[in-house]
Structures are given as structure tokens and as C-alpha cells.
Amino acid sequence: MPVGAAPDIPRVEEYTGQGLVEYVYFEADTFADYLNPTRAELATGTTITPVLCGKEGWTSEVGQIPTPNARDKDEGSIPGKRTYERSSVDTYVAQEGEDARDLMVEGDAGFMGRYPSGDVAGRRLDLFPVRCASSTLMDDISGEAADTNRFTFTITRRPLRNFTVPEHTP
């Protein structure tokens, strides 16, 4: 490395979350402090990964506030409000018996947990405070796809991002 050059970030081992990612739904009263969840609290959620067939959103964007001045031709900016994209999950539905429609009910508040590389101690977790804005059955009349349900969520408060998953209790 040349003298005075900035050091490289360490090389990472690339991966895909396919087969690792877990989505877990938690009831509204699960956490004493959702910004610092305990292992016992995280163990009370319901994993929806086995019926999850699609998802959208779960991202945020920060607005830009212009900061012009009379001297400069270039206009700078500062970070503004953070907004959260419309977010949803699609799940397969059951012809009979329980499915995700019994768990996530339109109008109810809760939390959506996303473990990008699995519910493994030392890895990461994102936890979104949500309200189920809509629950819509998407039946396929062509017979070429399984029937699914789309749950659309509003993210109601600041999510917990990149939280280190605590150790599992024996």
C-alpha cells in the first residue's frame, strides 16, 4: 500500500440470504424495549418463513434539505426526515385450517423481524414496528399458481437495525 493511502476495508465472504433469511412476526406487546430485545422475547415470535413467497420494501430513504447561500453557485444539503417505503409480505394460504391470515390481522400492530442470515447468535437482526394496513387474498383463477395473501404494512416508528442476535438459551 502506498504511503499515505487510505486502508482497504477487509474483504468479506459474499453470500446470499437464500435458505438463510428468516422473517418472524411478533405481537405488539412482546417487547419491554424493542430497541433492546432479549433472547426470551425473540423466542416468542412466529416464523413465517415456511409460507413466505414474496416481499417488497423494508427500506428507508432520507430526504435532502437544501442549504443555499448567496456566495456559492453549488448548493449543499443536509439530511432531512427519514421515510419508510411501503412494505409487504406475501404468504401462501391454506384451504382449510390456520395460516398467516390468523396471525397478521388488518389493523393490528406488531413487529416484523428480519434475520438476513438466520436466527444465529452473533449475526444481525432488523426489527420493524408495524401496523398491518391491509390483508388481501390473491387467488389465481388460471390454476397456474398457488393462492397467496399480501399483507401490506406501515412502519410506525424507527426500526431497530443491525442488532446483534443474542445467544440462544438452552
Side-chain angles (χ1 to χ4, degrees):
M1 177 179 348
V3 175
D8 291 344
I9 188 170
R11 174 90 184 183
V12 299
E13 185 176 327
E14 300 86 354
Y15 81 100
T16 175
Q18 184 85 32
L20 298 174
V21 68
E22 292 285 347
Y23 277 78
V24 180
Y25 185 77
F26 300 92
E27 298 293 333
D29 60 354
T30 299
F31 302 103
D33 175 10
Y34 80 94
L35 295 173
N36 193 24
T38 66
R39 180 74 254 172
E41 291 169 331
L42 292 171
T44 65
T46 302
T47 301
I48 64 168
T49 309
V51 296
L52 184 68
C53 57
K55 62 121 186 135
E56 290 182 12
W58 308 104
T59 62
S60 64
E61 188 170 308
V62 175
Q64 302 286 319
I65 300 172
T67 56
N69 68 62
R71 180 166 288 156
D72 295 331
K73 287 177 109 178
D74 298 315
E75 180 176 276
S77 63
I78 58 174
K81 288 186 177 183
R82 181 178 307 274
T83 57
Y84 298 95
E85 185 179 330
R86 176 182 164 161
S87 299
S88 65
V89 295
D90 296 345
T91 65
Y92 294 111
V93 296
Q95 186 174 15
E96 295 179 16
E98 292 184 30
D99 64 33
R101 294 173 291 178
D102 299 308
L103 176 66
M104 300 178 289
V105 178
E106 189 172 310
D108 284 358
F111 295 87
M112 185 64 72
R114 175 179 62 192
Y115 299 82
S117 46
D119 184 358
V120 176
R123 294 193 180 164
R124 299 180 190 234
L125 159 69
D126 296 332
L127 189 59
F128 299 88
V130 296
R131 180 170 304 278
C132 184
S134 67
S135 172
T136 306
L137 178 65
M138 299 184 319
D139 54 336
D140 180 67
I141 61 172
S142 72
E144 296 177 6
D147 289 352
T148 60
N149 198 84
R150 174 163 293 156
F151 299 92
T152 303
F153 295 93
T154 55
I155 298 173
T156 58
R157 291 177 280 163
R158 174 174 64 109
L160 172 64
R161 306 301 293 266
N162 295 314
F163 183 77
T164 301
V165 175
E167 289 289 332
H168 290 264
T169 52

